[in-house]
Amino acid sequence: MRRRSIGAALCMLLLAMTVTAMAERVNISSLAGLFWSTAKEEEDLLRKADPNDDSTAASVVNERDDELDGGFSSLDGMLQWAIGHSDPVKLKETAQDVQRLSVSELKKRQLEIKELMETLKRPSDAQLMQIALDDLNNSSLSLEDRHRALQELLVLVDPIDNANDICKLGGLVVLIRELNHPDTDVRKFSAWILGEASQNNPFVQKQVLELGALTKLIKMVKSIYIEEAVKALYAVSALIRNNLAGQELFYAEAGDLMLQDLLSNSSIDTRLLRKAVFLVGDLVECQLENTHKAVPPFLSNRLFLKSVVDLTASTDLDSQEKALVAIKNLLQLRTTEALVLREFCGLDGALERLRHQLEGLIKEEDRKGYAMDVETIRREVELIFHSKLRKWQETKVPT
């Protein structure tokens, strides 16, 4: 009886070697804690797409399925693979080690192997995304389940490979359609997912822009629902970051006016202000990196410049930091006039007031580090500003 147990345990250990090797090759989903959008049976979740279907979506899911099962048709096949790919010396040592295990140790090892096998049975991320998208395409889906499907996609699209896969699965079309849903939370989550998928991802940015989502997202920034507006602005920013084609479309859709409206509204939500001034700094930085591109006129607009400078007086330190970064970048544009910043925008006084404020914050232990970082940026702005002002004054000295 004990020899039979040892034999079974040896098989299990060999199988464990297979599973371990597979685990090193396979990108197992880290989303085991996700709940399903609908009550699907496990075999439905693991079902492969029709092998005769050559559609892009099916190929993506099949590809992820192939990664999941490792290409083995049975446990016997896995066992044979383990034996064939193992060092014979180590294999013999393993068998000898098994013979020395007690019954309780054998049971413990078998339980560990069982748990590892269960892990390998989890659906791939591509499968999970397809399930969520199928739910969103279900017109009879409850609002609660629609929210749940969107929340799952929000987590799933974070890795860049998954973001690329959701394009191939047709998910972008679904999400852009959901931007017009009557429920504000559905619109909010859809914009948020598009932003997450587009973040530093030129492939997804291009797809979303070509599908015409930017126009809708810019309009959503004006929503009376703050959460929706915040996520829409986040998506806009992610879509056009380091993307010249996206920025041209942004200006064509009056995105610059949207930014000016946000920055000039003193009663606006702080989160929108932060994102707006951050986007300004980002757009100017991209402009500095692409000097062959004409500088958009709004970046030299006096009222616009003043609204950015005025943000240095915000009660929110994060907004002040982002405003300083934007001013620092604006000062480096050839079209920005130092005299306008001094006479019309009052940059000199703003920087001095901020210096006094930061001196007080640096004395507070819990805010000292951040305040010192902001002070460093403030000094850089001051140096660049005074340098630019001196150069302007030198051009006015009669020869």
Side-chain angles (χ1 to χ4, degrees):
M1 180 65 107
R2 177 168 172 77
R3 291 183 62 186
R4 185 177 301 171
S5 298
I6 291 173
L10 177 57
C11 289
M12 291 297 286
L13 284 171
L14 291 173
L15 183 57
M17 294 164 62
T18 303
V19 172
T20 303
M22 288 172 60
E24 292 175 353
R25 296 165 50 202
V26 179
N27 178 24
I28 299 300
S29 171
S30 60
L31 304 167
L34 281 178
F35 36 80
W36 309 123
S37 298
T38 54
K40 295 186 181 240
E41 296 296 332
E42 184 174 339
E43 57 266 27
D44 293 330
L45 300 178
L46 296 173
R47 185 181 64 247
K48 291 188 177 182
D50 183 353
N52 296 319
D53 183 358
D54 60 354
S55 68
T56 303
S59 66
V60 171
V61 175
N62 280 341
E63 179 184 335
R64 294 296 183 255
D65 283 347
D66 289 342
E67 291 177 356
L68 186 67
D69 64 22
F72 301 110
S73 58
S74 66
L75 294 182
D76 286 339
M78 293 171 69
L79 182 59
Q80 292 302 320
W81 183 91
I83 295 172
H85 289 76
S86 299
D87 185 327
V89 176
K90 290 184 178 180
L91 200 60
K92 184 177 180 180
E93 291 174 355
T94 300
Q96 291 171 346
D97 290 341
V98 170
Q99 293 176 1
R100 289 191 287 269
L101 292 176
S102 65
V103 175
S104 60
E105 287 174 329
L106 284 171
K107 289 182 177 179
K108 180 182 178 182
R109 189 65 59 84
Q110 289 172 351
L111 181 61
E112 290 172 353
I113 294 170
K114 181 180 179 182
E115 290 174 352
L116 188 54
M117 288 297 295
E118 287 300 319
T119 298
L120 285 174
K121 287 173 62 180
R122 292 176 191 151
S124 67
D125 286 357
Q127 289 173 307
L128 294 175
M129 288 192 292
Q130 186 64 67
I131 292 165
L133 292 171
D134 288 344
D135 283 343
L136 293 176
N137 282 322
N138 181 358
S139 58
S140 62
L141 190 71
S142 70
L143 188 58
E144 180 183 0
D145 283 338
R146 190 168 295 274
H147 289 167
R148 188 175 296 129
L150 289 166
Q151 288 167 357
E152 290 169 8
L153 286 174
L154 180 61
V155 177
L156 285 161
V157 298
D158 184 51
I160 192 168
D161 287 341
N162 288 359
N164 292 338
D165 281 348
I166 201 170
C167 298
K168 300 169 188 175
L169 292 169
L172 296 181
V173 174
V174 176
L175 291 167
I176 292 171
R177 182 196 67 208
E178 295 296 282
L179 294 177
N180 295 302
H181 196 278
D183 180 70
T184 181
D185 282 336
V186 170
R187 298 195 300 270
K188 175 192 74 176
F189 278 118
S190 299
W192 195 353
I193 296 165
L194 289 170
E196 285 290 313
S198 302
Q199 196 75 258
N200 301 315
N201 191 328
F203 174 74
V204 177
Q205 286 176 336
K206 183 174 184 293
Q207 302 289 319
V208 177
L209 289 168
E210 288 178 351
L211 289 168
L214 186 60
T215 304
K216 176 62 180 177
L217 288 167
I218 289 175
K219 290 179 181 177
M220 286 173 62
V221 175
K222 302 174 184 177
S223 172
I224 60 173
Y225 302 103
I226 296 300
E227 294 297 332
E228 178 182 337
V230 169
K231 298 310 179 188
L233 185 53
Y234 165 71
V236 170
S237 182
L239 264 179
I240 66 175
R241 183 166 299 137
N242 298 320
N243 189 310
L244 294 178
Q247 290 173 20
E248 288 180 5
L249 184 57
F250 174 77
Y251 294 129
E253 294 291 339
D256 53 338
L257 294 178
M258 175 201 73
L259 281 177
Q260 291 183 71
D261 288 343
L262 290 174
L263 293 171
S264 61
N265 186 347
S266 58
S267 62
I268 202 166
D269 187 275
T270 301
R271 291 169 296 171
L272 278 173
L273 273 180
R274 287 178 192 159
K275 292 188 183 302
V277 74
F278 177 80
L279 179 53
V280 169
D282 206 51
L283 289 170
V284 180
E285 184 176 352
C286 190
Q287 187 69 44
L288 292 170
E289 293 171 355
N290 296 274
T291 53
H292 63 286
K293 303 290 291 185
V295 178
F298 92 99
L299 293 176
S300 304
N301 181 284
R302 293 185 172 202
L303 293 175
F304 165 73
L305 291 173
K306 189 174 189 309
S307 66
V308 177
V309 171
D310 287 347
L311 266 181
T312 60
S314 169
T315 55
D316 177 61
L317 192 58
D318 193 16
S319 297
Q320 291 174 309
E321 180 193 23
K322 288 176 169 56
L324 284 172
V325 171
I327 294 168
K328 177 184 172 182
N329 291 343
L330 285 164
L331 279 166
Q332 296 175 73
L333 289 177
R334 55 180 173 75
T335 55
T336 303
E337 298 179 20
L339 189 63
V340 170
L341 286 170
R342 186 185 71 180
E343 303 295 333
F344 186 79
C345 303
L347 182 57
D348 261 336
L351 291 173
E352 185 61 19
R353 286 189 295 273
L354 184 55
R355 182 180 70 81
H356 285 296
Q357 178 193 347
L358 293 171
E359 281 180 352
L361 292 175
I362 288 172
K363 296 175 183 176
E364 300 177 15
E365 194 59 37
D366 60 330
R367 306 179 77 179
K368 179 179 179 179
Y370 191 20
M372 290 178 69
D373 290 341
V374 177
E375 171 60 14
T376 299
I377 303 172
R378 190 202 67 81
R379 288 178 182 174
E380 291 176 357
V381 170
E382 196 169 52
L383 286 171
I384 297 171
F385 173 50
H386 289 158
S387 174
K388 188 158 189 166
L389 202 55
R390 280 195 302 272
K391 288 179 181 178
W392 173 84
Q393 289 170 338
E394 288 169 1
T395 63
K396 299 302 177 182
V397 175
T399 55

